[in-house]
Amino acid sequence: MFKKILIANRGEIALRVIRTCKEMGIKTVAVYSQADVNAMHVRMADESVCIGPAESTKSYLSIPSIISACEITGSEAVHPGYGFLSENAKFAEILGDHEIKFIGPSVSHINTMGDKINAKNKMVEFGVPCVPGSNGAVNNIEDARITAREIGFPVLLKAAAGGGGIGMKIVFDDPQLETLFFQAKSEAKKSFNDDTIYIEKYLEKPRHIEIQVFGDGKGGGVYLGERDCSIQRRHQKVLEETPSPGVSAEEIKEIGEISANAISKMKYEGAGTIEFLYEDKNFFFIEMNTRLQVEHPITEAVFGIDLVKEQICVASGEGMSFSQESLEPKGHAIECRINAERLPTFSPSPGNIKEFHSPGGIGIRMDSAIYNGFTVPPHYDSLIGKLIVHADDRQMAVRRLARALDELIIDGVYTTLDLFKEILNEEQFKSGEYNIHWLENWLTDQAQ
Ligand code: MV4
């Protein structure tokens, strides 16, 4: 087992990883920017290294600075958290060159899944159902037209290097295609320096269901249920829950086994997420994430598994502590992402936390790195905490969440807390009948 791990991240996820390391008897090294001198992850780690100025490109994204911090502290492995360098194949490769273990999948798996066309081809190879569309890149407008007519409008133009919706264009009919095709290309070129575009049938009212997978890197692979991440705004998830109120356990078993099989066949190592759109009782693969995700705690709650511990065990060569047969989900879990943002515009609201009181009691988990007197810096994303509740069933989880939200106090900065109290009172949330557009439509209605 590793003796010392460096956490190449900040905020609640850095703290999350440090907690597991401590429980495993592993020493921790925090890295921090000049804006994070007083951050909780720095206080909680055994050692810390300042890696640069506030700007993340010069600190949390600076590969040379992080490699130096590893060398100085004698760290044997790096946990990247989510965001920042977590899906950066170059970073994983350079760590490998320095004989430092990247806690995550191989460079080649990161590369494959980073290109959405390659990812889709891999999934097709392993029998994972995908959205109907072009076979790979669409290189010119003539091919685009032929493919679009074949699959039928509406279609969606996507960037191969994309994800997160950048460069995506919905095309409703033939006359729109040419303009949007070249717009998609130029946006993709600008954002990713890669203008490769592919086409899919546009699904109009899907849910976003993701399967948590885990591989031992030697041909063993399992799935740990699903997460319904449909409640989102502008591609930012707001609330996630498991199990999904809109998909049956039998359907999850089927797509879960298909997903676990794919992970096994490709000898995937560590935690991953296979993302699907779900519409009219069918699953369609869209992307795979090769990292631990923000919303992983709801999976941990229902399966009673520490995913970070399993990541570290697999990375160190000890292997996973559980098998598919040993897994049994229990109850229902919901996560609320609490952002320092001002409603109704969701504009960032950094500043000094004057008061913070975390809810407690049975079935409550608060993952946060803020504290009384902490100043939320303006340089990073606005997530300041995640409230996770777990209960025997969905109705009880919703009640527990309402209770916990009432207990949670954050003063000094604006937060998205009140939004959750309102969502919980909505019939479509209570009935579970929502899709990826529900929250944005609801917010628009509220503004009228
Ligand atoms: C789609 C889609 C509908 N049809 N693909 C958005 C970002 C990227 N991860 C994939 N996305 C979508 N792909 C087809 N063929 C709708 C979306 C989409 C979406 C997906 C998941 C969660 C939220 C979303 C919000 C808008 C659009």
Side-chain angles (χ1 to χ4, degrees):
M1 182 47 66
F2 306 120
K3 291 189 185 68
K4 195 187 271 192
I5 292 176
L6 182 142
I7 299 99
N9 215 302
R10 64 180 301 281
E12 68 84 21
I13 192 61
L15 214 47
R16 160 74 191 86
V17 175
I18 291 170
R19 286 176 175 139
T20 287
C21 289
K22 281 193 174 174
E23 292 176 11
M24 295 175 77
I26 299 168
K27 293 278 184 235
T28 54
V29 179
V31 293
Y32 63 101
S33 72
Q34 284 168 1
D36 276 336
V37 172
N38 297 312
M40 193 53 88
H41 77 283
V42 177
R43 272 166 70 171
M44 291 295 150
D46 294 300
E47 287 173 77
S48 59
V49 181
C50 184
I51 51 166
E55 205 186 318
S56 49
T57 53
K58 294 177 177 166
S59 50
Y60 297 106
L61 290 171
S62 166
I63 296 174
S65 303
I66 293 169
I67 300 285
S68 298
C70 289
E71 298 288 4
I72 291 164
T73 56
S75 300
E76 298 151 273
V78 170
H79 195 299
Y82 52 71
F84 292 129
L85 298 169
S86 61
E87 293 178 292
N88 187 309
K90 200 85 214 156
F91 179 53
E93 185 185 339
I94 295 170
L95 282 171
D97 294 343
H98 288 75
E99 286 170 37
I100 301 161
K101 176 67 187 172
F102 176 76
I103 302 174
S106 68
V107 173
S108 118
H109 284 127
I110 300 171
N111 267 326
T112 302
M113 298 308 164
D115 180 307
K116 308 304 163 192
I117 292 175
N118 288 342
K120 223 174 146 176
N121 288 337
K122 265 271 168 278
M123 292 300 168
V124 169
E125 181 186 332
F126 296 125
V128 178
C130 294
V131 190
S134 58
N135 288 314
V138 173
N139 294 315
N140 54 63
I141 184 65
E142 290 77 27
D143 283 356
R145 199 161 275 128
I146 292 165
T147 307
R149 284 177 188 161
E150 237 167 53
I151 62 180
F153 290 96
V155 298
L156 192 58
L157 309 178
K158 293 186 173 185
I166 302 167
M168 255 174 43
K169 299 285 170 201
I170 308 170
V171 189
F172 285 98
D173 53 31
D174 216 304
Q176 294 184 314
L177 185 65
E178 183 160 349
T179 313
L180 293 174
F181 178 74
F182 289 108
Q183 269 182 28
K185 259 191 159 351
S186 87
E187 277 178 38
K189 180 84 195 163
K190 256 195 7 213
S191 302
F192 313 114
N193 196 32
D194 174 354
D195 68 354
T196 312
I197 298 292
Y198 65 109
I199 304 188
E200 284 183 349
K201 175 82 191 164
Y202 177 63
L203 304 178
E204 302 196 53
K205 290 176 192 147
R207 300 183 83 107
H208 179 205
I209 306 289
E210 56 186 34
I211 301 289
Q212 175 70 55
V213 291
F214 212 97
D216 65 8
K218 297 169 180 160
V222 300
Y223 75 97
L224 297 95
E226 83 280 25
R227 293 183 289 260
D228 192 320
C229 304
S230 304
I231 299 193
Q232 59 86 38
R233 176 186 176 270
R234 301 191 179 174
H235 303 294
Q236 295 294 316
K237 292 166 188 168
V238 170
L239 178 151
E240 308 95 353
E241 61 177 318
T242 185
S244 168
V247 188
S248 72
E250 293 71 36
E251 291 171 285
I252 294 302
K253 185 170 173 356
E254 190 183 343
I255 197 69
E257 284 173 358
I258 290 170
S259 301
N261 175 63
I263 290 310
S264 302
K265 294 277 162 61
M266 66 175 105
K267 294 195 164 73
Y268 186 83
E269 177 181 319
T273 302
I274 307 190
E275 291 192 353
F276 294 93
L277 297 178
Y278 174 84
E279 192 173 81
D280 300 332
K281 303 205 115 331
N282 290 306
F283 285 96
F284 303 94
F285 169 80
I286 45 171
E287 286 170 26
M288 178 168 179
N289 301 317
T290 55
R291 62 172 189 278
L292 186 74
Q293 295 205 208
V294 176
E295 59 274 21
H296 76 277
I298 59 173
T299 300
E300 296 187 319
V302 300
F303 285 95
I305 296 246
D306 180 338
L307 288 170
V308 172
K309 181 178 171 197
E310 300 300 330
Q311 285 185 298
I312 294 170
C313 284
V314 164
S316 77
E318 286 184 14
M320 292 149 58
S321 76
F322 63 94
S323 63
Q324 190 71 62
E325 298 69 48
S326 72
L327 290 173
E328 206 182 327
K330 198 182 148 294
H332 195 97
I334 307 176
E335 173 180 276
C336 293
R337 295 195 190 192
I338 297 151
N339 288 351
E341 288 170 351
R342 186 173 188 172
L343 298 170
T345 54
F346 293 84
S347 51
S349 175
N352 190 253
I353 306 279
K354 301 223 159 34
E355 193 183 1
F356 173 52
H357 175 260
S358 172
I362 194 162
I364 304 290
R365 169 173 174 181
M366 182 83 205
D367 276 22
S368 173
I370 64 168
Y371 57 87
N372 288 323
F374 176 70
T375 299
V376 180
H379 315 279
Y380 313 106
D381 78 37
S382 56
L383 183 79
I384 55 170
K386 307 185 304 203
L387 173 59
I388 302 105
V389 299
H390 183 214
D392 288 344
D393 58 36
R394 187 171 190 265
Q395 193 191 345
M396 285 167 70
V398 171
R399 285 173 173 229
R400 183 160 285 164
L401 179 54
R403 188 272 287 173
L405 287 167
D406 279 339
E407 273 183 45
L408 177 53
I409 298 168
I410 303 173
D411 275 340
V413 298
Y414 290 99
T415 75
T416 51
L417 207 49
D418 289 344
L419 174 64
F420 297 106
K421 299 180 188 180
E422 294 189 61
I423 290 175
L424 261 49
N425 280 320
E426 285 301 317
E427 275 317 312
Q428 277 197 281
F429 178 75
K430 284 195 242 179
S431 67
E433 290 162 34
Y434 55 78
N435 60 42
I436 60 169
H437 304 297
W438 178 74
L439 179 62
E440 285 175 359
N441 290 338
W442 181 81
L443 287 165
T444 306
D445 291 347
Q446 295 300 104
Q448 300 304 310

